[in-house]
Every structure is written in C-alpha cells, then in structure tokens.
Amino acid sequence: MRRTLLVLLGMAGLMAFAQTSLKAENPWVRLVPGPVSGAFMTLSNPSDRAIRVIAAESPIAGKVEIHQTTIVKGAGGTDVMQMRPIQFLEIPAKGKVELKPGGYHIMLMMLKEPLQEGKIVRITLRLEGGSTLLVEAPVKAQ
C-alpha cells in the first residue's frame, strides 16, 4: 500500500510539472478602440504530455474566452469568417500552438478601460489539473 501511494504521489508530481512547464512566447494584445480585443501568443509545451488550457481571465476584461476562427460557407457560397468559443485548447507534448489573428486567440470582452499602446495586460491561463500560467502581454497596434 505504501509503495502504491508513493507511485501515485510521484505521478501527480510529474503531471504538475508537465502542466507548469507551459510557456507563452511573444504575447501581445491588439490595440483597438471599443470594448473587445484579442490576445495572441505562441504556447509552447516542452513536456512529454499534452497540456490543456481550459479557461482564461484578465482583470482588464469582464469576460474572457478562448476562441477559434474558422472559415465557413455563407449564403451564396461565399466564405465567411466565424469566431467561436472553444471548451479547451490542447498543446501537444513537445509541441506548440500559435494564437494569432484569424486562428486561435483569447477574446477580451467587456473591457473595463481603454487600451493604451505599451500597457501590459495580465492574462491568467487556467490549465487542466488546476495549474495556471500568468501571461503579461503588451498592447500593440498591429
């Protein structure tokens, strides 16, 4: 029984390590007028296990969602871009996922104050298993 407990504790420690190893590279928030903006970055997972981002939050926004942009056929067969919230974003083991305009991104909605170029926006990514990753993203006019 003691050996089983030690094995389980060791596995839990490895899972926590894998989840906290997630890195956010080159984060930024788009400078826009109005109450909605997007945050972009590359999420890098050097661990041997996939990591899921299951939620995001920011003190600057009343609502934050993980979104995916897709192209669908609209009326008359024209291409229409749609943004939809997703339940989670999985970063594969030893892999990367780019959050970029026209793809995956973090939607910052109901902004509590106007964005200013150069200001740092704090975004907390909540990971499956209870870990978090704090991202500090500068506002840029891109």
Side-chain angles (χ1 to χ4, degrees):
M1 169 110 171
R2 185 175 180 188
R3 184 176 182 174
T4 302
L5 181 60
L6 289 173
V7 169
L8 290 174
L9 287 173
M11 289 174 59
L14 286 174
M15 288 178 68
F17 171 76
Q19 291 182 331
T20 57
S21 64
L22 186 67
K23 304 268 187 275
E25 302 167 354
N26 303 312
W28 62 282
V29 171
R30 178 172 274 158
L31 177 64
V32 293
V36 178
S37 186
F40 311 97
M41 64 198 77
T42 299
L43 294 173
S44 176
N45 176 8
S47 77
D48 292 329
R49 296 179 186 213
I51 297 174
R52 284 186 175 180
V53 179
I54 58 171
E57 57 192 46
S58 177
I60 198 169
K63 186 175 185 180
V64 181
E65 294 179 344
I66 306 166
H67 275 209
Q68 180 179 23
T69 303
T70 56
I71 304 295
V72 296
K73 291 291 181 192
T78 59
D79 289 343
V80 177
M81 187 179 289
Q82 287 186 340
M83 288 186 286
R84 294 186 182 217
I86 57 176
Q87 290 185 339
F88 63 87
L89 179 63
E90 186 166 289
I91 297 73
K94 305 242 184 257
K96 294 182 179 190
V97 172
E98 186 177 6
L99 283 69
K100 62 183 180 178
Y104 293 114
H105 56 280
I106 305 292
M107 285 296 295
L108 303 167
M109 298 173 279
M110 300 166 33
L111 293 174
K112 297 175 181 177
E113 59 188 72
L115 296 174
Q116 297 174 2
E117 189 161 9
K119 179 179 176 155
I120 300 297
V121 174
R122 293 175 149 236
I123 301 165
T124 301
L125 302 180
R126 298 221 169 268
L127 310 180
E128 190 173 68
S131 297
T132 60
L133 175 65
L134 176 62
V135 177
E136 295 186 334
V139 176
K140 297 182 179 183
Q142 290 187 336

